[in-house]
Amino acid sequence: MAVHLFAGECIVFAIWSYIIITVKADDFCQIPGEYSEQSSENVDCQTYSNYRFRYILYDVNPPEGFNLRRDVYMRIARFVRKLSGEDGSWKLVLPPWTKLYHWQSADVGKQSQLPWRLFFDVASLQKFAPVVEMDEFLKEYDSTTIDEVFVLQHYKDAFKTGKWEEKYEIQPCVDEPRYRERADGGAGGFSGWFWGLPDVTARRVRCLSFHGHASQLQDTVQLHPHARTIMFDHAEVALHDAFGDRLYWMARRSMRFAPALRRIAAEFREEHLNSTDEADGTVRPDDWTAETAVTGTKGGPYLAVHLRRKDFVWGRPKEVPSVIGAAAQIKAHLDKLEMCAVFIATDAPEEEFEELKSHLTGYKVFHYRPSSAVKKRHKDGGIAIIDQIICSHARFFVGTYESTFSFRIQEEREILGFPPETTFNRLCGDGQKTCSKPSVWRIVF
Ligand code: GFB
C-alpha cells in the first residue's frame, strides 16, 4: 500500500492493488501508522477504548420489500461478524421494521417500528453475528445521536465501464438525502429519517460513493476511530462478500423464524395438510449450528405454490400468468405428482383467490387465513412468514419468477434438504410453452 500525504492540500490518497480511495483529511479521522505517518498526538480524534461496545447501524432503500431486506441483513451481519472479530467490541443494531409498501392491512394496528423478535429468533441470529435490537441499543448507548452516517450511493458510471474495481469515496450526494442539518446547530447536527424514531439525530451525515463488497465498509470504520456509532444508509449498495459460500449459508441458517410463527405454521400443516416434521423428515436440531447436510427430504403430501400478484402482474406481464393460466399449471403439476392437495401462498386480493379456486374444482385448495387476533399480533409480515414456512415444507414447490419471497422459500428448502428438482420451479407466463428455470443455488456446509 502506498500513502501520499499532501499537507497543504489536506488530501490523503491511499492506493493499493485495485482499490482507490480519495478522502479529504478533515473528512476522516486517520489511524496513525495505517494511512498516514502522523503521530497520534497530531490526530484530533478520540478513540472509544473506554467503552465496551461500538455499534454499526444501517438502513435500506425505502421501497425495498421484506425479503430483499433479509438479504441485505446477511451482507451486513457478515461484515459485522468479521469486524467484531476476536475482541467482540462491535454490535450490529437491527433496524426496526418500518411500514413497508406491501404491508397494507388496516386492521392489524401499528406496522412500524417493529422489532426483529416479532419475526425472527434473535438468539439464533446472535449465534452468527453480535446483533442487538434497537430498543436495547438505545438503552445501552444512552444517547440518541449517531456519530457518523454514510449514505451509500452508486458511482455514476458504476455499471458502464464493465471493469470491476473496488472503490469508495466521499462525494456530493446524488439524490437528496433523508437528513437535514438542524437550524439550531446543536450537538445532534442532523435530523431526518432514522427508522421513524423521532428523537434520533446524527452528528454528521455524508454520502459515500461505493462500489464493492460489504467487507470494504471496514475501511470506513477504521478511518473513524472516534466514532462509537456508525450508520450506513442504503446498505443494499454493498454487495455480498461471497454469494452462496459456507458463511453465506451460515448467515442464512441463523435466520430462523420466531418460534410463535413456526408453531402456527406447524399447527396449520398438521390440521389441514396431514404434514408433521416427523412424518415429512423435516426435524431439525434446535440450534442451527448443530445442523448438518441433509438430502432426500420427503416433505408434506401437498404441492405448494407461491403466486405473486399485485405489482408483479403489471411489472412482469410476460412472466407472471393470469389466474386461469396459473390454475392450468397447478392442475398439471398436481396430476403429474398424483396429488390432490395444493397450498397457495399469495398476495392476491380475495376475489382473485376465489377465481383461482373456481378453476381448481376437484382438488383440495388450501390458503392460510389468520384469525383477527393472530393478524393483530403477528402483522402482515408474520402472516407472510407463516405462508413461507408452509411452502417450505411441501413435497413440491412452484414459485414466481424473480420474487425474493419465492427465493427465500427455495433457500429454506435447501436447508431442509429437499431434492433440488422439487424446489427450483416457477410458474410460467401465459403463452410460454416452457420458461427459464430459477437459478439453482445449492446449500454449502
Ligand atoms: O418480500 P418481497 O420483497 O418479495 O415483497 P418480492 C413482497 C411482499 O408482499 C411480501 C407480500 O413481503 C409480503 O408482505 N406477499 C407477497 C405475500 N407474496 C405473499 C404471499 O404469498 N403471502 C403473503 N402473506 N404475503 C419485491 C418487492 O417483491 O419485488 C419490491 O418488494 C419490488 O417492492 C420487487 O416490487 C420487484 O420480491 O416478491
Side-chain angles (χ1 to χ4, degrees):
M1 179 172 75
V3 178
H4 308 281
L5 186 64
F6 302 93
E9 293 171 38
C10 286
I11 296 176
V12 177
F13 286 97
I15 305 170
W16 65 99
S17 60
Y18 54 91
I19 304 179
I20 302 173
I21 315 168
T22 312
V23 189
K24 273 195 197 137
D26 66 351
D27 280 344
F28 284 149
C29 184
Q30 301 145 26
I31 302 173
E34 180 76 23
Y35 293 94
S36 82
E37 281 144 24
Q38 284 178 299
S39 73
S40 52
E41 292 87 51
N42 295 336
V43 180
D44 183 23
C45 288
Q46 179 195 355
T47 56
Y48 275 92
S49 53
N50 49 336
Y51 288 102
R52 173 78 183 87
F53 294 113
R54 297 169 75 194
Y55 301 89
I56 298 293
L57 301 98
Y58 77 97
D59 204 354
V60 177
N61 185 26
E64 302 299 350
F66 188 78
N67 287 292
L68 190 273
R69 285 167 188 268
R70 286 175 61 185
D71 188 74
V72 176
Y73 162 79
M74 286 169 56
R75 304 175 210 178
I76 304 300
R78 181 171 179 159
F79 153 59
V80 178
R81 175 189 162 97
K82 189 171 166 210
L83 183 69
S84 195
E86 281 157 21
D87 69 353
S89 60
W90 286 93
K91 287 192 189 182
L92 171 59
V93 182
L94 296 168
W97 297 92
T98 51
K99 188 157 174 16
L100 302 181
Y101 163 75
H102 303 94
W103 292 352
Q104 291 174 354
S105 295
D107 56 350
V108 298
K110 186 176 126 173
Q111 299 219 64
S112 53
Q113 274 96 53
L114 303 179
W116 280 57
R117 55 185 172 272
L118 195 61
F119 304 130
F120 296 97
D121 181 343
V122 174
S124 191
L125 298 178
Q126 283 166 337
K127 287 182 186 148
F128 180 77
V131 300
V132 60
E133 292 265 26
M134 179 63 77
D135 51 354
E136 288 157 24
F137 157 72
L138 289 172
K139 276 186 233 147
E140 278 178 29
Y141 184 48
D142 202 23
S143 165
T144 47
T145 303
I146 298 168
D147 290 328
E148 299 283 351
V149 174
F150 295 95
V151 182
L152 303 190
Q153 60 188 13
H154 292 291
Y155 279 88
K156 279 200 187 120
D157 60 351
F159 301 104
K160 285 192 195 136
T161 61
K163 196 172 116 209
W164 176 258
E165 185 182 40
E166 297 245 0
K167 55 181 181 175
Y168 53 89
E169 192 175 337
I170 296 287
Q171 285 191 330
C173 298
V174 174
D175 297 317
E176 179 100 344
R178 297 187 275 179
Y179 316 94
R180 265 184 219 305
E181 199 149 11
R182 286 150 66 106
D184 60 17
F190 289 77
S191 55
W193 178 259
F194 293 101
W195 314 276
L197 297 169
D199 299 331
V200 177
T201 55
R203 224 174 287 287
R204 197 153 59 151
V205 177
R206 285 165 298 161
C207 286
L208 184 70
S209 296
F210 190 90
H211 190 241
H213 300 106
S215 57
Q216 287 300 313
L217 296 171
Q218 186 156 352
D219 294 351
T220 304
V221 170
Q222 283 177 342
L223 287 159
H224 290 79
H226 64 297
R228 200 173 152 222
T229 40
I230 298 181
M231 172 179 173
F232 296 103
D233 192 4
H234 281 273
E236 74 284 353
V237 170
L239 303 173
H240 277 287
D241 276 3
F243 192 87
D245 68 352
R246 186 171 158 270
L247 266 177
Y248 171 96
W249 281 102
M250 282 170 69
R252 181 62 185 78
R253 289 192 290 125
S254 75
M255 299 187 81
R256 288 211 170 168
F257 294 123
L261 301 175
R262 290 179 358 220
R263 227 172 5 252
I264 296 171
E267 282 164 13
F268 184 90
R269 283 166 52 214
E270 183 162 11
E271 190 177 337
H272 301 283
L273 297 163
N274 192 23
S275 161
T276 62
D277 286 340
E278 291 74 21
D280 302 351
T282 49
V283 177
R284 282 197 282 172
D286 289 342
D287 179 345
W288 65 267
T289 62
E291 275 172 347
T292 49
V294 190
T295 54
T297 297
K298 191 165 72 147
Y302 57 98
L303 164 71
V305 176
H306 174 228
L307 178 64
R308 182 76 160 80
R309 301 292 295 167
K310 292 200 173 151
D311 48 328
F312 269 48
V313 177
W314 48 263
R316 292 161 173 74
K318 290 206 180 105
E319 306 288 345
V320 172
S322 62
V323 171
I324 195 166
Q329 293 177 59
I330 291 168
K331 260 189 208 170
H333 279 295
L334 282 167
D335 292 348
K336 196 167 166 202
L337 293 162
E338 297 182 350
M339 287 174 139
C340 65
V342 57
F343 175 79
I344 310 284
T346 186
D347 58 338
E350 201 53 37
E351 324 74 83
E352 277 188 7
F353 178 69
E354 289 305 320
E355 187 196 338
L356 180 80
K357 254 175 83 174
S358 74
H359 297 302
L360 289 168
T361 47
Y363 300 90
K364 289 185 192 161
V365 183
F366 295 93
H367 178 47
Y368 175 65
R369 279 201 186 83
S371 68
S372 92
V374 166
K375 246 184 126 177
K376 277 204 179 94
R377 196 171 322 129
H378 300 290
K379 318 280 177 192
D380 285 336
I383 304 313
I385 287 172
I386 293 167
D387 269 349
Q388 285 182 309
I389 300 174
I390 300 170
C391 287
S392 305
H393 285 78
R395 189 143 312 154
F396 198 91
F397 172 68
V398 182
T400 293
Y401 177 73
E402 280 187 349
S403 166
T404 53
F405 189 102
S406 293
F407 294 161
R408 299 293 92 86
I409 294 169
Q410 290 163 354
E411 289 162 3
E412 210 67 30
R413 291 175 63 85
E414 273 296 297
I415 295 168
L416 286 167
F418 280 96
E421 60 278 12
T422 70
T423 291
F424 297 96
N425 306 291
R426 57 165 277 213
L427 294 164
C428 300
D430 287 354
Q432 292 181 319
K433 281 208 182 78
T434 53
C435 56
S436 60
K437 285 258 178 193
S439 304
V440 177
W441 292 103
R442 301 303 315 275
I443 193 163
V444 175
F445 272 88

